[in-house]
């Protein structure tokens, strides 16, 4: 199974660089609950527009 998300509404940005998403915040928030439902691995990247 694959799951993906694109944070576009109220996106958390890095405090010192508003051009980049705060990926660590999303991983810290999303990974623990996903582990309880069988998360085996994840990959994260910030894609510029």
């Amino acid at each position: 199974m694959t799951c993906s998300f694109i944070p576009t509404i109220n996106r958390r940005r890095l405090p010192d660089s508003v051009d980049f998403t705060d990926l660590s915040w999303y991983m810290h928030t999303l990974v623990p609950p996903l582990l309880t439902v069988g998360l085996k691995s994840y990959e994260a990247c910030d894609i510029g527009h």
Side-chain angles (χ1 to χ4, degrees):
M1 177 188 306
T2 302
C3 176
S4 62
F5 75 96
I6 301 171
T8 55
I9 298 172
N10 296 323
R11 177 169 62 116
R12 290 230 179 215
R13 300 172 193 268
L14 289 175
D16 296 330
S17 180
V18 296
D19 292 335
F20 292 96
T21 302
D22 187 352
L23 291 177
S24 64
W25 182 89
Y26 284 97
M27 295 301 100
H28 179 77
T29 303
L30 295 172
V31 169
L34 292 174
L35 288 172
T36 66
V37 294
L39 176 70
K40 301 289 184 206
S41 66
Y42 66 87
E43 180 178 345
C45 63
D46 197 350
I47 301 172
H49 296 284

